Amino acid sequence: EAAIAAEERPVVLRLDDVSTGLLHAIDIDLHEGEVIGVTGVIGAGGHEIARILFGLDRPTSGQVQLHGERYAPRGPKQAIQHGVFLVPEDPDRDGLIPILSVATNVTLVDLPAITRRGALSRRLECEIAQGFVDELRIATSSIDTPVRTLSGGNRQKVLLAKGLAAKASLLVLEEPTQGVDVHTKAEIHRIVRGLAAS
C-alpha cells in the first residue's frame, strides 16, 4: 500500500496569520501523521508557538484551529483535554516531579484511568506505566524508581509516556533531544517517527 502524501491527509492543526510579541503572521498546517520542526535563533519565537498551543499564552492576532475547530485553550488542563500535550524544554522544572516515581509521573496526568470506586489502583498504575516503559524502552531498574535518578534522555522518554498516557493526539516537543547523548537522540527520533506513523 502506497504511503499517502502528508498534504492529502487531514489537517490536524492550523495556525492562520498568528502573531504574538515576537511572531508576525505565522501560517502553519500540520497534517495527520506529520512532524514539523520550527527552528530559529534563541528568542526568535519558537517557544511562543508551544506556549500558545498548550494554553499558556494567547496570540495577539490570528486564529488557531485544531481538527477544524477554533482552538484557544485557557490553560494546560484544557489543552490536555483537547488532546494537546507539551513536552517542555526543561522537564525537571516544567514537566516532571523529580522526587516521584516513573509510574506516578506517567499516570498523574490521567488519574481517572487508574481510579476504581474512588480509590487509586496500584495494579492499574503499574500496568500502564510498565507498558510505556517497555514501549519507549525507558532505561530504569523499576517503575518505582524516582525520575530524578534517570538520565536526561530517559526523563524525556518519561515525558513522552506522560503525553501518551494523556491520550494526546498532538505532541508539542520543545528541544526533545537537548542534552542527550547521540544514541538517545537517535532513539527519541525513532520514537517520534513511530508515534507520527501510528
Side-chain angles (χ1 to χ4, degrees):
E1 184 175 305
I4 300 171
E7 296 77 18
E8 297 173 14
R9 299 178 192 150
V11 174
V12 173
L13 177 74
R14 173 168 285 146
L15 276 67
D16 183 21
D17 204 32
V18 169
S19 296
T20 69
L22 292 172
L23 302 173
H24 301 286
I26 301 297
D27 293 322
I28 295 175
D29 280 355
L30 174 68
H31 297 84
E32 185 178 277
E34 190 175 33
V35 177
I36 291 180
V38 178
T39 186
V41 297
I42 294 173
H47 183 67
E48 281 65 26
I49 293 173
R51 290 183 60 83
I52 287 169
L53 295 178
F54 204 50
L56 297 168
D57 287 334
R58 291 183 177 264
T60 54
S61 65
Q63 187 178 57
V64 180
Q65 291 184 354
L66 184 67
H67 303 292
E69 302 285 329
R70 186 172 183 276
Y71 174 70
R74 293 186 301 271
K77 182 177 180 182
Q78 199 172 69
I80 291 169
Q81 289 170 343
H82 280 91
V84 177
F85 191 82
L86 173 67
V87 176
E89 183 176 1
D90 185 342
D92 291 339
R93 185 188 69 206
D94 299 325
L96 297 171
I97 304 173
I99 62 170
L100 295 182
S101 70
V102 170
T104 301
N105 271 280
V106 168
T107 59
L108 196 58
V109 73
D110 188 14
L111 292 178
I114 61 168
T115 303
R116 292 297 177 263
R117 296 186 201 99
L120 293 178
S121 167
R122 174 71 177 150
R123 181 186 60 80
L124 288 172
E125 179 185 52
C126 290
E127 283 177 11
I128 291 169
Q130 190 63 54
F132 287 121
V133 164
D134 294 342
E135 180 183 348
L136 301 181
R137 300 180 195 167
I138 299 170
T140 180
S141 57
S142 163
I143 58 172
D144 295 319
T145 299
V147 166
R148 71 170 180 257
T149 65
L150 302 181
S151 69
N154 284 296
R155 287 196 300 271
Q156 287 287 53
K157 290 181 187 180
V158 171
L159 263 176
L160 285 170
K162 190 174 178 180
L164 296 174
K167 301 170 184 69
S169 60
L170 175 64
L171 284 173
V172 181
L173 311 174
E174 285 191 306
E175 305 287 346
T177 59
Q178 180 177 311
V180 301
D181 62 55
V182 173
H183 173 74
T184 306
K185 184 179 289 192
E187 182 72 2
I188 290 172
H189 287 166
R190 180 196 65 78
I191 291 167
V192 169
R193 283 192 303 271
L195 293 173
S198 65

